[in-house]
Amino acid sequence: MKMLINVPETVVADALRGMAAVYPGLIVDVENRVVVRRDAPVAGKVGLVSGGGSGHEPLHGGFVGPGMLSAACPGEVFTSPVPDQMVRAAAAVDSGAGVLFIVKNYTGDVLNFDMAAELAEDEGVQIGKVLVNDDVAVTDSLFTAGRRGTGATLFVEKIAGAAAEAGAPLERVEAIGRRVNERARSFGVALSAVTTPAKGSPTFDLPPGELELGIGIHGEPGRERRAMMTSHEIADFAVDAVLADLRPAGPVIALVNGMGGTPLLELYGFTAEVHRVLGERGVAVARTLVGNYVTSLDMAGCSVTLCEVDEELLRLWDAPVETAALRWGR
Amino acid sequence: MKMLINVPETVVADALRGMAAVYPGLIVDVENRVVVRRDAPVAGKVGLVSGGGSGHEPLHGGFVGPGMLSAACPGEVFTSPVPDQMVRAAAAVDSGAGVLFIVKNYTGDVLNFDMAAELAEDEGVQIGKVLVNDDVAVTDSLFTAGRRGTGATLFVEKIAGAAAEAGAPLERVEAIGRRVNERARSFGVALSAVTTPAKGSPTFDLPPGELELGIGIHGEPGRERRAMMTSHEIADFAVDAVLADLRPAGPVIALVNGMGGTPLLELYGFTAEVHRVLGERGVAVARTLVGNYVTSLDMAGCSVTLCEVDEELLRLWDAPVETAALRWGR
């Protein structure tokens, strides 16, 4: 498999050098692998730190900036960052108001963020934590005990980030982040396998005429394989899988997410099908975000995340954000 | 090749239905295939209309909105839109101040926009035109007489769009668009072939260990094939190809563009190499945009566009823009 890289060993450092060259609003510590918003620490503001394996860009570095994350810690491809990165990030963004760790539920991430929380607290930084576990496809997998953390991470980072930007204290930012996670569910589908730079060939074998329903963002196995389905059928399956676990009483925000290798033209068509099935199921859609946000390198496929929102969460979603990958001002 | 679609025949209409569902700022006429900003016509403002074959998303529909295009006309995949679309778009956005057609230099697009200009003028709409022909890789190709239009289209749409938004008259908006095109050059590289929905298999054969230098955004042949190169070597080749044609005296804006199938992680690393070689060649970079903007469906690869800017062009680039794919306010 051909890649636009130098050597696999420097892929993450090279990407960080690129981000450093391009985004004046970020301080990118390439050596220590920490991406921090330039104006951190912001006086009186709770800091938000996330991170995880690389290969899911723009998650998390692309979400650092006013209104969202204060810092991100990228690990090697599909590999948890280490506690030292998280401790550095926490120290860089703490204004005295404390720091919220946003952790996707993968065994390595959970262990390392827990260790980092202890170390940071030893240094006097108050730490809160939100564990993101929105993927309804499987419980337990290669990388996880319990449900995996996927698309809901974007919702937690955006909405809790807006609360922090508005001056909410740590306990409140943490409570909002948890509320978002509790109300968000995801389901993903792969049309092709993913190829990591280190391996250089697909990490699993997906036959030409089949797709994998319930795939994880590292290519972990899903629920089942089937003969290839239409966009209409995939939308039915994915949305119904989410709604079997989350029965929203109010409106939702929908994320129609590309896994990285699916053209935007196809993703827009799939979005029409997602809206169709939500309408048929009586679910009102307040906002929709379409694009490649929580990716799996070159994997073709998509995921659907629904997040039930009340007035407060919708207001926080709509609040201004200024990051590399998510940017708006209302 | 598996795709996230229903049937090839409805791919463009399905995508437009998706855009209609998601973007309240757009009026999407799915039947007639015209995407118009909702507040058009804006009193006293010059309208900007572009369009071309689908498969290059977010170009052009993703660039419709305040500060950029007034309307876009999507054709079938890799096929020019028809004059009727362009005439409808011109009528929808003309406030009496006239309309600028922004046309990528492909034979079908040029013919159809010319015919549309005649028809629109017959209906009393004053029409200006900018032909975009920035690709230095080849002169003449499967789709083109002369140089192809690629990444510079984004610069023309953004910068001329900002001039129109600021109230410049048609002749001025047209002159600025032409100035941008004259100062912008591109070069693209393919690591994999592209697969169109209609064909369902790669449109050309690119062997496992080779890349194609100078590829077009429809997979048209480039300058040469070589054994696979590193990101460092590709950046040297692409930037030097551009600089052999454009020797900027002042700073440039750089677009480091993904063709659709290349992960953002790789694109960021490639950006670091582009900045390195520009530094070595003594070219100052005022701004850089990185991402999938002028794509070729699922093709893996990238392109580099450099646009030499003076103070006025840079100010217009920095002006606020609010579209699906490009969004900022300074």
Side-chain angles (χ1 to χ4, degrees):
Chain A
M1 188 67 77
K2 289 167 283 186
M3 295 181 181
L4 185 60
I5 64 172
N6 287 317
V7 291
E9 292 72 20
T10 65
V11 163
V12 175
D14 289 348
L16 289 174
R17 289 192 296 118
M19 292 193 79
V22 167
Y23 299 115
L26 300 177
I27 297 174
V28 181
D29 182 339
V30 177
E31 190 184 352
N32 293 303
R33 304 201 173 181
V34 181
V35 178
V36 181
R37 63 183 267 191
R38 185 162 293 277
D39 60 356
V42 177
K45 188 187 144 323
V46 169
L48 275 77
V49 172
S50 192
S54 292
H56 309 300
E57 289 68 25
L59 186 81
H60 299 270
F63 298 143
V64 175
M68 213 161 165
L69 291 178
S70 310
C73 310
E76 279 299 312
V77 171
F78 294 175
T79 304
S80 173
V82 295
D84 182 53
Q85 290 170 267
M86 302 150 189
V87 173
R88 273 178 198 273
V93 306
D94 183 36
S95 67
V99 172
L100 183 71
F101 283 172
I102 299 171
V103 187
K104 299 197 301 301
N105 189 35
Y106 299 98
T107 310
D109 295 63
V110 171
L111 285 172
N112 287 333
F113 269 106
D114 277 351
M115 194 177 302
E118 282 184 32
L119 293 167
E121 281 171 342
D122 286 350
E123 291 177 15
V125 181
Q126 196 189 348
I127 299 289
K129 203 173 71 180
V130 175
L131 188 69
V132 183
N133 62 345
D134 55 307
D135 186 346
V136 301
V138 294
T139 50
D140 304 340
S141 77
L142 287 179
F143 291 74
T144 334
R147 286 198 312 230
R148 303 175 292 213
T150 60
T153 316
L154 183 152
F155 289 101
V156 174
E157 293 178 358
K158 172 66 185 77
I159 293 174
E165 206 74 36
L170 179 58
E171 316 79 69
R172 178 91 188 114
V173 176
E174 183 178 41
I176 286 174
R178 291 184 178 183
R179 201 161 104 219
V180 170
N181 179 62
E182 282 159 15
R183 291 166 176 226
R185 300 288 190 282
S186 297
F187 191 87
V189 172
L191 306 192
S192 78
V194 54
T195 300
T196 60
K199 187 157 188 289
S201 59
T203 57
F204 62 98
D205 182 47
L206 189 55
E210 295 183 15
L211 82 173
E212 174 116 12
L213 296 162
I215 197 78
I217 56 173
H218 312 92
E220 311 98 294
R223 285 191 186 175
E224 55 176 308
R225 288 182 178 190
R226 288 204 188 171
M228 190 53 200
M229 295 157 69
T230 63
S231 169
H232 181 112
E233 293 166 339
I234 293 170
D236 280 348
F237 195 98
V239 170
D240 283 339
V242 167
L243 293 180
D245 208 275
L246 174 85
R247 190 63 231 180
V252 300
I253 306 176
L255 168 63
V256 181
N257 176 63
M259 288 293 188
T262 286
L264 192 54
L265 181 70
E266 297 178 21
L267 213 55
Y268 274 129
F270 181 64
T271 302
E273 297 297 340
V274 168
H275 269 249
R276 174 194 52 75
V277 57
L278 285 169
E280 288 169 6
R281 304 295 183 265
V283 177
V285 185
R287 303 282 184 274
T288 307
L289 185 67
V290 187
N292 294 291
Y293 292 105
V294 181
T295 64
S296 183
L297 291 170
D298 64 338
M299 186 191 279
C302 59
S303 63
V304 176
T305 304
L306 301 180
C307 179
E308 185 183 359
V309 287
D310 51 30
E311 268 182 42
E312 183 187 31
L313 297 186
L314 188 58
R315 186 172 43 74
L316 291 168
W317 174 262
D318 283 345
V321 60
E322 192 177 340
T323 69
L326 216 61
R327 201 163 176 167
W328 62 66
R330 283 178 215 244
Chain B
M1 187 68 75
K2 289 166 281 186
M3 294 180 179
L4 186 61
I5 64 173
N6 288 317
V7 291
E9 293 71 21
T10 64
V11 163
V12 174
D14 289 349
L16 288 174
R17 289 194 296 119
M19 292 193 79
V22 167
Y23 298 114
L26 300 178
I27 297 174
V28 181
D29 182 339
V30 177
E31 191 184 350
N32 294 302
R33 302 200 174 182
V34 181
V35 179
V36 181
R37 60 183 269 192
R38 185 162 291 278
D39 59 357
V42 178
K45 187 188 148 314
V46 169
L48 276 77
V49 172
S50 192
S54 292
H56 308 301
E57 289 68 26
L59 186 80
H60 299 268
F63 298 143
V64 175
M68 212 159 165
L69 291 179
S70 311
C73 310
E76 277 301 310
V77 171
F78 294 175
T79 303
S80 173
V82 295
D84 183 55
Q85 292 171 266
M86 302 151 189
V87 173
R88 273 177 197 275
V93 307
D94 183 37
S95 68
V99 172
L100 183 71
F101 283 172
I102 299 171
V103 187
K104 299 198 300 300
N105 188 34
Y106 298 98
T107 309
D109 296 63
V110 171
L111 286 172
N112 287 332
F113 269 104
D114 277 351
M115 193 177 303
E118 283 183 34
L119 294 167
E121 282 171 342
D122 287 348
E123 292 178 13
V125 181
Q126 196 190 348
I127 299 288
K129 203 173 72 181
V130 175
L131 188 70
V132 183
N133 63 345
D134 55 307
D135 186 345
V136 302
V138 294
T139 50
D140 306 338
S141 78
L142 285 181
F143 291 75
T144 334
R147 287 196 314 228
R148 302 175 294 214
T150 60
T153 316
L154 184 152
F155 289 101
V156 173
E157 294 178 358
K158 172 65 185 77
I159 293 174
E165 205 73 36
L170 179 57
E171 316 79 69
R172 179 91 188 112
V173 176
E174 184 179 40
I176 286 175
R178 289 183 179 185
R179 201 159 107 221
V180 170
N181 180 60
E182 282 159 16
R183 292 167 173 226
R185 298 289 189 282
S186 297
F187 192 88
V189 173
L191 306 192
S192 78
V194 53
T195 300
T196 60
K199 186 157 189 291
S201 58
T203 56
F204 62 98
D205 181 47
L206 189 56
E210 295 182 16
L211 84 173
E212 174 117 12
L213 296 163
I215 196 79
I217 56 172
H218 311 93
E220 310 98 295
R223 286 190 186 175
E224 57 176 308
R225 288 183 179 191
R226 288 203 186 171
M228 189 53 200
M229 296 157 69
T230 63
S231 169
H232 182 112
E233 292 164 340
I234 293 171
D236 280 349
F237 195 98
V239 171
D240 283 338
V242 167
L243 293 180
D245 207 274
L246 174 85
R247 190 65 230 178
V252 300
I253 307 177
L255 168 63
V256 181
N257 177 62
M259 288 292 186
T262 286
L264 193 54
L265 181 70
E266 297 178 22
L267 212 56
Y268 274 128
F270 180 65
T271 303
E273 297 297 342
V274 169
H275 269 249
R276 172 194 53 75
V277 58
L278 285 170
E280 289 170 6
R281 303 296 183 264
V283 177
V285 185
R287 305 281 184 276
T288 308
L289 185 67
V290 187
N292 294 292
Y293 291 104
V294 182
T295 63
S296 184
L297 291 169
D298 65 337
M299 187 191 279
C302 59
S303 64
V304 177
T305 303
L306 302 181
C307 179
E308 184 182 0
V309 288
D310 51 29
E311 267 183 40
E312 183 188 28
L313 298 186
L314 188 58
R315 186 171 43 74
L316 291 168
W317 174 262
D318 283 346
V321 60
E322 192 176 340
T323 69
L326 216 62
R327 202 164 176 165
W328 62 65
R330 283 179 216 241

